[in-house]
Amino acid sequence: MSATDPTPVDFWFDPVCPWAWMTSRWVLGVAEHRALDIRWHVMSLAVLNEGRDDLPERYRRLLTEGWGPVRVVTAARQQYGDDVIGRLYTALGTRIHLQGIGPSRESIKGALEEAGLAPDLIEYADQDTYDRELRASHQEGIDQVGQETGTPVMALPGPDGGRTAFFGPVVTPAPRGKAALDLWDGLLLLASTPGFYELKRSRTQGPVFD
């Protein structure tokens, strides 16, 4: 990759995850000032948590409802290609997180219309037609960071021309302006450091949307 090439960013998300949503908005804000090649990929919190009986009821319900949006995004990718994922994710996330509609059929229907996609894609919300492709995309992201993580997952340029993937960053609210660019530069520095694996602290604040 030359100095003038866009920085490749692979971003795995579940549309129902508020943390992935905020991180994605931060990355898009960075892309307004830095040359980035963002490649969007789906992953699924429902798949990630399959077989777990220790989840709170509210979280289990969210995961069950979350199948619809991620299935529709996967169907859109299969039928229209990668280029539609970013705008469909934005339309879905705006309804799910900012407007508070949640992962409902109303959210999906409105998002498809806004993204200029066929309205009948909503039928895949209740079908497993593309579940194999969904699970493959999910596993591709998880393989890079490990099962004990979640969404978002980001893969960035790493040492010696390779790639480094992280779970996160998890940040609330999403930084803007210089703070957004400073965080980006710091993350690239960490990704390019041989042998760097993780930083961690407990969250003391919930998602802040603005």
Side-chain angles (χ1 to χ4, degrees):
M1 185 177 72
S2 72
T4 58
D5 290 336
T7 301
V9 182
D10 287 281
F11 192 107
W12 280 264
F13 68 94
D14 184 323
V16 303
C17 178
W19 304 104
W21 171 253
M22 284 186 293
T23 304
S24 71
R25 299 310 98 179
W26 160 66
V27 171
L28 287 173
V30 172
E32 295 176 2
H33 305 278
R34 304 284 172 83
L36 305 184
D37 176 19
I38 305 174
R39 285 96 62 122
W40 303 100
H41 310 270
V42 294
M43 62 184 300
S44 169
L45 291 173
V47 173
L48 184 69
N49 289 282
E50 279 182 327
R52 290 188 58 184
D53 299 323
D54 58 340
L55 299 174
E57 174 59 30
R58 178 178 175 276
Y59 193 60
R60 286 201 303 270
R61 187 168 61 251
L62 176 64
L63 297 183
T64 300
E65 295 171 349
W67 276 107
V70 77
R71 279 174 164 166
V72 170
V73 174
T74 302
R77 181 187 184 191
Q78 295 301 311
Q79 297 189 20
Y80 290 90
D82 292 340
D83 291 345
V84 305
I85 301 178
R87 69 175 187 264
L88 180 55
Y89 179 30
T90 291
L92 279 168
T94 298
R95 288 161 174 78
I96 293 171
H97 303 297
L98 299 188
Q99 297 177 7
I101 303 174
S104 63
R105 291 184 72 86
E106 178 186 355
S107 293
I108 299 171
K109 181 179 179 181
L112 288 170
E113 181 179 358
E114 180 180 329
L117 299 173
D120 59 2
L121 282 172
I122 196 171
E123 301 306 321
Y124 291 97
D126 302 315
Q127 299 176 12
D128 62 1
T129 308
Y130 296 114
D131 278 11
R132 182 174 65 178
E133 290 79 4
L134 189 164
R135 289 175 179 274
S137 178
H138 171 90
Q139 195 60 46
E140 182 184 12
I142 288 297
D143 284 347
Q144 300 188 58
V145 292
Q147 188 71 23
E148 299 79 21
T149 57
T151 174
V153 169
M154 291 179 60
L156 306 168
D160 302 321
R163 304 281 283 165
T164 299
F166 296 116
F167 160 52
V170 174
V171 59
T172 185
R176 296 180 175 181
K178 183 177 182 300
L181 298 178
D182 287 346
L183 177 58
W184 175 254
D185 292 338
L187 190 63
L188 284 182
L189 178 60
L190 293 176
S192 65
T193 301
F196 177 81
Y197 287 99
E198 67 177 305
L199 292 171
K200 176 70 175 177
R201 66 170 178 162
S202 298
R203 292 196 302 264
T204 59
Q205 184 176 10
V208 177
F209 304 116
D210 55 13

